[in-house]
Amino acid sequence: MRAWFRNVYLATTTLASGMYVTLWYFVQSFRRGTFTKHFAYPEQPVPVRPRYRGFHRFDLTTCIGCDKCARACPVDCIYIDKEKAAPPAKGFVVTGFKIDYTKCMFCALCVDPCPVDCIFMGSNHDISTYTRDGCVVDYAKLPLDVAWGQATLNPTAVQESKRVSLPVWTKTADAPKPAEVKPAVDGKQAT
C-alpha cells in the first residue's frame, strides 16, 4: 500500500513541475510580445548569425561539373546537367544546376566535397513561393550577381529565371518497337 501512495505522490509532483515549466514559458512568451515588435520583418531582413545555413550560393563560372556535391547529398536534391566542352577545352560545361528545396535539409554536406569551392551556404532564409515549381531553383539560369550574391536570392529573381518554362523532367518518347515474331512450331509461323 505504501508503494502505491509513493507512486501517486511521484506522479503528482512530476506532473505539477512539468505544468509549472509550461506555465512559466507561456507567461514569458506572453510578456515578450510578437516577433514583428522586435524586427520589421517584411520591410527589413532579420539579422542572422554568421554560421547560419540558408539557401545555397553557387558560382557557375568556376564549377567543373564533377558531381561531387550531388553524390554527397543524402536526399538527392541536387541535379546537374552538363555537356562535353568544345574540343580545344577539356572537361564539362554545366548547363543546369538545380536544387530542389522541398527535399533539401540544409545539412551543408554538399559544400565540403567541392574541389573548387563554387557552392556554399548563404545567409538568406526566405524564398517563399505559392507553387512547388518555385522551390526548384536552377542556378544556371539565374544572373551571376543573384546566384553568387550574399543576400540577393529572392522569390522575384527566382521567378524571373523561370520565365523560359522548362520542365524539370520530361519523359522521352520511345521509338515504336517492331512486332515480335514467335518461333515457328511444326512448320507454321505463330503470330
Side-chain angles (χ1 to χ4, degrees):
M1 187 72 153
R2 176 177 252 179
W4 185 80
F5 280 117
R6 184 170 169 262
N7 287 340
V8 169
Y9 172 75
L10 283 175
T12 306
T13 56
T14 55
L15 183 66
S17 64
M19 293 304 285
Y20 173 75
V21 170
T22 305
L23 183 63
W24 173 254
Y25 277 105
F26 172 74
V27 169
Q28 292 301 318
S29 63
F30 185 73
R31 283 185 193 165
R32 182 175 46 236
T34 60
F35 177 76
T36 55
K37 195 176 208 178
H38 299 289
F39 305 109
Y41 167 60
E43 289 81 22
Q44 296 176 349
V46 177
V48 294
R49 300 287 179 186
R51 293 176 51 108
Y52 177 76
R53 292 188 296 210
F55 288 95
H56 295 83
R57 294 286 167 258
F58 175 70
D59 187 10
L60 185 65
T61 59
T62 60
C63 183
I64 57 174
C66 63
D67 286 341
K68 288 186 179 181
C69 56
R71 280 185 266 142
C73 182
V75 291
D76 294 330
C77 67
I78 299 175
Y79 310 105
I80 300 175
D81 301 328
K82 58 188 175 182
E83 297 174 353
K84 269 298 222 193
K90 294 181 180 179
F92 297 101
V93 174
V94 177
T95 57
F97 190 90
K98 299 178 193 77
I99 298 179
D100 188 0
Y101 285 110
T102 58
K103 293 190 214 176
C104 184
M105 57 186 190
F106 299 99
C107 61
L109 290 175
C110 57
V111 176
D112 295 331
C114 184
V116 292
D117 293 331
C118 65
I119 185 171
F120 67 94
M121 303 305 283
S123 61
N124 192 3
H125 61 87
D126 185 20
I127 187 169
S128 54
T129 60
Y130 290 108
T131 62
R132 288 188 182 185
D133 289 338
C135 295
V136 179
V137 178
D138 190 355
Y139 285 92
K141 289 193 174 95
L142 288 173
L144 188 61
D145 58 338
V146 173
W148 188 242
Q150 241 348 44
T152 55
L153 183 64
N154 55 25
T156 308
V158 172
Q159 195 60 34
E160 287 296 321
S161 72
K162 293 178 181 290
R163 285 203 184 252
V164 180
S165 60
L166 295 172
V168 175
W169 179 80
T170 56
K171 186 174 182 181
T172 57
D174 295 333
K177 295 180 181 178
E180 295 181 15
V181 178
K182 294 182 182 177
V185 179
D186 296 332
K188 296 181 182 178
Q189 188 174 7
T191 56

